[in-house]
Amino acid sequence: MHEGSISEFDVAEKKNCSVIRDYKVKNLQIDELEKRGGKEGGDEEGEGEKNKTLVCAPLMGETVEEMLVMMKTAKTSGADIVEIRLDYLKCFLPSHDLEILIKNCPLPTLFTYRPKWEGGRYEGDEIVRLNALQLAMELGADYVDVELKVAPDFIKSIHGKKPENFKLIVSSHNYQKTPSVEDIRDLVARIQGTGADIVKIATTAVDISDVARVLQITKNSQVPIIALVMTERGLMSRILCPKYGGYLTFGTLEAGKVSAPGQPTVDNLLNLFNFRQIGPNTKIVGLIGNPVGHSKGPFLFNKAFKEVGFDGVYLPFLVDDIEKFLKTYASSPDFAGFSCTIPHKEEALRCCDEVDPVAKSIGAVNTIVRRPSDGKLIGYNTDYVGAISAIEIGLGGSHNGTASPLAGKLFVVIGAGGAGKALAYGAKAKGARVLIANRTYSRARELADLVGGDAITLDELNKYHPEDGMILANTTSIGMQPKVNETPVAKEALRGYTLVFDAVYTPKMTRLLLDAEEAGCTVVTGLNMFVIQAYEQYERFTGLPAPKELFWELMSGY
């Protein structure tokens, strides 16, 4: 690689700049004590034991000024290191800008100048790009990331110039798939063979089971490694880095503004998933579903785990094939159990080794526990208790009493899936008369026959009014974010109901519940069901009594 002079950098890059900026450095300086604290990267006193995996915030500012502001934000957010993405800068003068970026950064710096051929934005001359990275190293960057394709030439060019504390990351990105374990292992060996200080691989999850191969490589790596899986299906690879020994993970400063698909925010890493407390012995539990991004489960369980000192983390698992997911992960003692939501509750029952009699009667499982003694998967259903208890409380009755306020009521269930089955079973057990309304009549009829009820289509429900004082329970995803203006029943059809319940809890007040409130009905939100059903899940996952008051306190803000 050509080792051009500093003046040559500027000549090449001035073509992209109309003016050379005049920085007012006095306005950009950062308190030296604050900077020293960030560079040392020490734990704050009293914060307890932490893992050594770094949280890196990618900075994607289009100007140096924006980058400097982002650095301060990264420091405040709790990041350990910043990745300065030089390819995002619209006007970049290496000899001028790099010194400012390095000297004014309150955290260790990782410089990346990603070319378009490796997923970045840079389309200019390769010599200019690599010389800029070399200059960053010479000016005091803590890390530089170069691509495997150019690593041999780059390493040859910096021979004898590499500062003592400087680390070179050599990276490879696969935006199509996650290769086999053998192919990944070979790739890691090739990267290590270049002389890299740190190996970085990023693959793409076509299915969530792909992540297991990367976690396996991370766990068994004999060299410092950054191994991540992109897209939402790969999220757990980013959160579980400290459990399996990853060198760092990336967290964006603002939701949606990511440098690679599937990045969580720094705030979510640290405060939602308790990233600092994750270690080799941390038990993994989580929600199996599609979609899962709306779930409040990670918030509720992770806050509770931290509060009571349970060494566990609750993750959202975006799963397409639950059988494949369980075969991949549930054999590992690292995984303690799973919650199940739409559309996997019925299939989950068939995947379990043993099923609780109530869940078998309902025909759906929303909780799976891995029995430590033999690794078998045991299925339960906590939905029916959560929903029916919430509805009984809404009717002003005690679900602990001898007679349920549901007894004799006409209970209309919208939906014939796993949650619909749970509600229908629970209502029937309490003495209610059950009607199933579903888009597909045959499904409604099938469930109605199971519980000794009646069935109609969802379209017929708008004209259904045999009596007053009915109960309505929506168990479908109609009205869930982002389709918040949808409702399964017209507002005019709600006048015959005394209480309306919606299992959807994002948003808390769905279109159905708002309409029901206007129609004079008592409304019960899905959040009530969610909290009550979580009691048993928590106890089965942890072996500890559910902190019920804490649950309600945590969810009071929603």
Side-chain angles (χ1 to χ4, degrees):
M1 183 181 73
H2 177 64
E3 300 177 19
S5 67
I6 291 178
S7 62
E8 285 176 325
F9 290 163
D10 289 349
V11 169
E13 291 295 336
K14 281 179 185 177
K15 295 176 182 178
N16 298 322
C17 303
S18 57
V19 295
I20 299 177
R21 294 175 301 279
D22 179 22
Y23 290 99
K24 300 185 181 299
V25 177
K26 63 180 180 180
N27 293 326
L28 302 176
Q29 289 177 333
I30 295 172
D31 183 87
E32 186 61 28
L33 289 175
E34 179 187 7
K35 182 173 180 179
R36 189 180 303 120
K39 288 286 186 181
E40 290 173 355
D43 293 345
E44 295 294 331
E45 187 176 352
E47 287 188 0
E49 193 70 23
K50 294 182 179 180
N51 58 62
K52 295 179 180 180
T53 302
L54 303 175
V55 174
C56 180
L59 309 185
M60 298 162 285
E62 295 185 344
T63 67
V64 172
E65 290 90 341
E66 286 181 17
M67 291 284 197
L68 292 168
V69 172
M70 290 176 179
M71 289 173 182
K72 294 181 181 180
T73 303
K75 170 73 174 178
T76 304
S77 72
D80 303 302
I81 178 176
V82 293
E83 179 189 35
I84 300 170
R85 286 292 300 265
L86 298 174
D87 50 306
Y88 276 78
L89 290 170
K90 287 190 172 180
C91 182
F92 175 44
L93 301 175
S95 64
H96 192 253
D97 298 344
L98 288 171
E99 187 171 5
I100 290 174
L101 289 167
I102 293 168
K103 284 188 175 180
N104 289 283
C105 189
L107 293 170
T109 53
L110 188 171
F111 281 88
T112 302
Y113 205 177
R114 193 76 72 210
K116 196 164 186 179
W117 50 262
E118 188 85 355
R121 293 188 172 189
Y122 182 78
E123 297 183 85
D125 184 83
E126 276 292 282
I127 292 175
V128 170
R129 183 177 78 88
L130 297 177
N131 281 344
L133 290 173
Q134 180 177 325
L135 179 60
M137 176 195 76
E138 293 170 353
L139 291 174
D142 298 282
Y143 304 84
V144 161
D145 178 331
V146 298
E147 303 73 28
L148 174 59
K149 181 179 175 180
V150 299
D153 287 340
F154 184 82
I155 291 172
K156 190 182 298 182
S157 73
I158 65 171
H159 181 69
K161 301 178 182 179
K162 186 177 166 187
E164 183 179 353
N165 295 322
F166 169 80
K167 301 288 188 223
L168 178 66
I169 300 170
V170 175
S171 60
S172 174
H173 300 76
N174 188 323
Y175 291 95
Q176 284 74 48
K177 64 178 182 178
T178 297
S180 67
V181 169
E182 292 75 16
D183 287 345
I184 299 174
R185 191 180 292 120
D186 290 344
L187 177 62
V188 169
R190 284 174 55 207
I191 294 174
Q192 186 181 3
T194 65
D197 297 305
I198 300 168
V199 171
K200 178 187 174 186
I201 58 169
T203 67
T204 297
V206 178
D207 184 88
I208 194 169
S209 61
D210 296 339
V211 180
R213 301 195 289 279
V214 173
L215 294 181
Q216 181 181 340
I217 293 294
T218 304
K219 184 176 182 179
N220 296 319
S221 178
Q222 301 300 308
V223 297
I225 189 168
I226 303 165
L228 305 169
V229 187
M230 297 179 284
T231 76
E232 187 181 355
R233 288 169 176 80
L235 177 63
M236 69 165 143
S237 72
R238 300 178 180 277
I239 298 168
L240 295 177
C241 283
K243 179 172 177 63
Y244 296 105
Y247 190 84
L248 66 74
T249 194
F250 293 90
T252 187
L253 296 178
E254 187 176 343
K257 293 188 177 181
V258 300
S259 61
Q263 282 176 355
T265 62
V266 172
D267 182 64
N268 279 351
L269 280 171
L270 299 181
N271 300 316
L272 177 60
F273 297 112
N274 302 329
F275 186 85
R276 302 292 191 201
Q277 281 72 49
I278 296 174
N281 298 320
T282 299
K283 290 296 180 184
I284 305 166
V285 292
L287 176 66
I288 297 170
N290 190 350
V292 288
H294 66 284
S295 175
K296 298 296 187 294
F299 173 82
L300 179 68
F301 282 96
N302 288 324
K303 288 288 186 183
F305 289 167
K306 187 174 183 180
E307 184 73 19
V308 305
F310 177 75
D311 188 7
V313 61
Y314 188 99
L315 305 177
F317 299 121
L318 180 58
V319 173
D320 302 295
D321 183 334
I322 185 172
E323 184 177 8
K324 185 177 182 181
F325 173 85
L326 291 173
K327 282 183 177 178
T328 302
Y329 297 103
S331 61
S332 168
D334 289 343
F335 291 78
F338 310 94
S339 309
C340 298
T341 189
I342 295 171
H344 299 306
K345 294 183 181 185
E346 294 167 275
E347 184 63 27
L349 184 145
R350 291 184 279 275
C351 293
C352 291
D353 299 303
E354 297 176 17
V355 178
D356 177 77
V358 172
K360 189 175 291 186
S361 298
I362 293 170
V365 158
N366 81 317
T367 306
I368 299 174
V369 176
R370 184 186 183 279
R371 192 159 58 198
S373 60
D374 57 11
K376 287 189 174 182
L377 301 182
I378 318 301
Y380 303 90
N381 192 302
T382 67
D383 277 339
Y384 81 101
V385 172
I388 296 301
S389 297
I391 292 169
E392 286 181 321
I393 292 169
L395 289 171
S398 170
H399 61 282
N400 294 320
T402 54
S404 168
L406 288 174
K409 296 279 188 182
L410 182 54
F411 195 103
V412 179
V413 178
I414 301 175
K421 288 180 176 181
L423 266 290
Y425 174 92
K428 185 68 175 180
K430 295 291 185 175
R433 295 169 289 136
V434 178
L435 174 85
I436 310 299
N438 195 60
R439 279 178 176 157
T440 306
Y441 177 76
S442 60
R443 290 261 304 182
R445 184 72 263 167
E446 183 182 354
L447 176 54
D449 289 343
L450 283 174
V451 297
D454 293 319
I456 60 174
T457 66
L458 191 55
D459 289 338
E460 292 177 283
L461 189 59
N462 283 328
K463 296 179 181 179
Y464 185 78
H465 189 177
E467 62 187 71
D468 289 330
M470 300 183 291
I471 308 295
L472 181 67
N474 174 44
T475 68
T476 73
S477 60
I478 298 172
M480 187 169 73
Q481 288 178 350
K483 299 179 180 179
V484 295
N485 291 319
E486 294 185 359
T487 181
V489 187
K491 185 191 296 187
E492 298 74 26
L494 297 173
R495 288 173 296 178
Y497 297 93
T498 188
L499 180 145
V500 176
F501 163 80
D502 199 335
V504 171
Y505 63 87
T506 52
K508 180 179 179 180
M509 287 297 290
T510 60
R511 179 81 264 154
L512 173 63
L513 294 184
L514 292 170
D515 288 347
E517 203 169 51
E518 287 186 26
C521 308
T522 298
V523 299
V524 176
T525 73
L527 198 64
N528 292 25
M529 168 190 173
F530 168 71
V531 173
I532 296 171
Q533 68 83 32
Y535 295 165
E536 185 180 343
Q537 286 192 337
Y538 180 94
E539 291 174 354
R540 293 195 178 278
F541 292 155
T542 66
L544 302 170
K548 297 178 181 180
E549 290 184 11
L550 175 62
F551 276 14
W552 288 109
E553 180 184 332
L554 289 170
M555 301 311 295
S556 63
Y558 286 99

